[in-house]
């Protein structure tokens, strides 16, 4: 697979460390509107072809697929251009700023017959994959209740940098700079974590969003700090289970933690993922009588990057695809409507 990198920011560096280790994948070009950033990135990874616009790269055309690592609001126009040129697309999350744009991208990709995949990175978590297998195998029985949380602390800790002075973080707090807050940033991750692990879809949603005061006048320089910092959701799942999902950037003591608990009539599972690793615990069978939890061993799983490369080679569409990400975006969009109108909505 000849791969084009579209956008050369922090996440691009992370992706290239993975793609560069896959046999048969060659990074043939990079695109960025910032010439200095483009040069530094291309030099670091030994990429010869460099373009200051996607149009230039498409005119060149000597690539099979592109990984789209542009800012959220740029995903829509750039992905549509790539699809129109017949290229397979691996897109960072969220797929688009809203459901209508995400649906347009989905339908365009499906009509063109190109491989389309969204980088919901926590699909790479082996305990999550094993938990889903156990749910589908009926080891928990009928699922009754689901809890999921995504907790970050970068608004109270400088472990990842100082959000008060760095644009990398400030734009994520400003709707005027394209952010939908913690809901738009990590909401899609925890919704996928919950629904995928519990092997079901979200059917109804009720949500609350909260923006806390972070600076005098709610503004730092050009950044109006009006994007949501925390959200809570109560959801009904298609399999009949009730769920509680929440996320916050104010979770002191949690740098970047995802947690999922799945409760069934025959047992329960807990998945925890942190920067240092992940684990799966279960309370199953006779252990339910004594509330005894035991660690469950898991084996490594292919990464999204590997599965995308394999899909391009085989022509077989992988998951998570654009349609799945668009459906999750619909839930996120409804959450914002619910906050305004204070009512529950069916997905």
């Amino acid at each position: 697979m000849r791969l084009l990198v579209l956008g050369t920011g922090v996440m691009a560096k992370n992706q290239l460390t993975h793609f560069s280790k896959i046999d048969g994948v060659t990074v043939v070009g990079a695109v960025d509107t910032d010439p200095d950033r483009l040069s530094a990135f291309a030099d670091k990874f030994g990429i010869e072809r460099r373009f200051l616009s996607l149009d230039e790269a498409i005119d060149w055309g000597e690539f099979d697929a592109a990984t789209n690592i542009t800012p959220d609001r740029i995903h829509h126009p750039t992905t549509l251009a790539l699809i129109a040129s017949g290229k397979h697309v691996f897109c960072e999350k969220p797929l688009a700023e809203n459901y209508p744009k995400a649906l347009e991208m989905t339908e365009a990709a499906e009509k063109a017959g190109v491989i389309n995949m969204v980088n919901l990175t926590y699909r790479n978590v082996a305990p999550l994959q094993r938990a889903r297998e156990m749910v589908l195998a009926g080891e928990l029985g009928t699922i009754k209740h689901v809890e999921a949380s995504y907790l970050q602390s970068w608004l109270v800790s400088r472990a990842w940098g100082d959000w008060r002075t760095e644009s990398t973080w400030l734009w994520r707090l400003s709707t005027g700079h394209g952010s939908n807050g913690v809901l738009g940033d990590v909401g899609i991750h925890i919704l996928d974590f919950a629904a995928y692990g519990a092997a079901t879809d979200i059917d109804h949603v009720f949500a609350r969003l909260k923006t806390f005061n972070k600076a005098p006048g709610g503004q730092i320089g050009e950044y109006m700090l009006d994007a949501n910092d925390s959200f809570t959701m109560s959801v009904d799942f298609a399999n009949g289970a009730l769920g509680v999902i929440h996320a916050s950037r104010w979770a002191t003591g949690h740098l970047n933690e995802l947690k999922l608990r799945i409760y069934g009539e025959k047992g329960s599972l807990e998945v925890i993922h942190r920067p240092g690793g992940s684990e799966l615990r279960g309370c199953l069978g006779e252990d339910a009588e004594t509330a005894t939890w035991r660690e469950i061993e898991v084996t490594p799983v292919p990464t999204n990057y590997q599965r995308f490369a394999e899909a391009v080679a085989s022509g077989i569409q992988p998951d998570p695809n654009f349609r799945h990400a668009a459906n999750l975006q619909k839930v996120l969009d409804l959450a914002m409507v619910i906050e305004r109108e204070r009512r529950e909505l069916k997905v």
Side-chain angles (χ1 to χ4, degrees):
M1 177 178 74
R2 299 172 301 170
L3 183 68
L4 178 78
V5 179
L6 176 59
T8 61
V10 174
M11 192 60 197
K13 297 181 179 68
N14 180 276
Q15 283 202 21
L16 261 288
T17 60
H18 292 281
F19 275 121
S20 62
K21 296 176 183 176
I22 302 173
D23 290 341
V25 174
T26 303
V27 180
V28 295
V31 183
D32 202 302
T33 56
D34 185 321
D36 294 332
R37 186 169 57 205
L38 174 62
S39 294
F41 179 84
D43 288 346
K44 177 179 176 64
F45 290 99
I47 302 170
E48 181 180 354
R49 290 283 184 168
R50 307 166 187 201
F51 305 94
L52 291 174
S53 75
L54 178 58
D55 288 341
E56 292 176 19
I58 289 175
D59 287 343
W60 172 60
E62 295 183 23
F63 60 100
D64 306 303
T67 177
N68 192 339
I69 323 171
T70 57
D72 297 354
R73 61 172 52 173
I74 309 301
H75 290 176
H76 175 259
T78 52
T79 295
L80 288 179
L82 288 163
I83 292 170
S85 64
K87 307 301 182 183
H88 308 294
V89 183
F90 185 79
C91 189
E92 268 302 324
K93 61 79 194 170
L95 183 56
E97 292 177 276
N98 55 54
Y99 176 67
K101 288 184 177 180
L103 183 61
E104 183 183 3
M105 294 160 70
T106 299
E107 292 177 341
E110 291 175 350
K111 183 177 180 180
V114 298
I115 298 298
N116 57 93
M117 190 171 174
V118 177
N119 191 24
L120 295 173
T121 52
Y122 298 107
R123 291 291 184 94
N124 302 331
V125 175
L128 178 68
Q129 297 282 354
R130 180 67 182 124
R132 176 181 172 87
E133 290 174 0
M134 295 175 70
V135 171
L136 290 172
E139 295 185 43
L140 276 67
T142 302
I143 304 303
K144 303 293 188 180
H145 192 83
V146 177
E147 297 176 65
S149 61
Y150 194 143
L151 303 178
Q152 296 180 325
S153 60
W154 57 266
L155 283 175
V156 291
S157 167
R158 291 179 172 83
W160 289 13
D162 187 352
W163 65 267
R164 299 167 184 81
T165 60
E166 299 177 16
S167 61
T168 300
W169 304 108
L170 281 169
W171 81 265
R172 297 175 186 273
L173 306 175
S174 173
T175 60
H177 287 77
S179 175
N180 284 326
V182 70
L183 179 73
D185 191 15
V186 305
I188 192 168
H189 278 314
I190 196 58
L191 290 181
D192 184 64
F193 208 74
Y196 184 76
T200 186
D201 293 319
I202 294 171
D203 195 42
H204 286 78
V205 60
F206 182 78
R208 284 290 174 265
L209 313 179
K210 183 76 172 183
T211 304
F212 296 94
N213 184 46
K214 294 176 285 295
Q219 186 170 357
I220 295 178
E222 65 181 279
Y223 299 93
M224 184 63 69
L225 310 180
D226 58 348
N228 59 84
D229 302 319
S230 299
F231 76 79
T232 61
M233 286 185 185
S234 60
V235 302
D236 290 329
F237 289 99
N239 66 0
L242 187 66
V244 179
I245 301 172
H246 65 101
S248 180
R249 292 167 170 163
W250 289 100
T252 305
H254 299 274
L255 291 180
N256 193 71
E257 179 190 274
L258 290 86
K259 182 179 289 185
L260 172 64
R261 288 174 172 165
I262 308 168
Y263 303 102
E265 60 184 353
K266 294 161 63 173
S268 300
L269 293 173
E270 180 183 69
V271 180
I272 303 177
H273 177 75
R274 301 184 181 97
S278 55
E279 61 184 274
L280 174 64
R281 300 194 311 145
C283 180
L284 305 162
E286 294 182 359
D287 283 341
E289 299 296 334
T290 57
T292 301
W293 289 78
R294 304 181 192 275
E295 287 193 23
I296 299 172
E297 291 189 9
V298 297
T299 56
V301 297
T303 65
N304 287 343
Y305 315 103
Q306 291 171 312
R307 293 191 293 112
F308 178 71
E310 291 169 2
V312 171
S314 68
I316 300 173
Q317 175 63 49
D319 186 60
N321 58 19
F322 280 15
R323 185 162 291 278
H324 174 73
N327 289 339
L328 292 179
Q329 189 62 49
K330 184 178 183 181
V331 177
L332 298 177
D333 286 5
L334 288 176
M336 289 185 278
V337 174
I338 290 164
E339 170 64 21
R340 290 195 302 268
E341 300 182 1
R342 299 278 165 153
R343 62 189 179 95
E344 178 183 341
L345 290 175
K346 179 176 173 57
V347 177

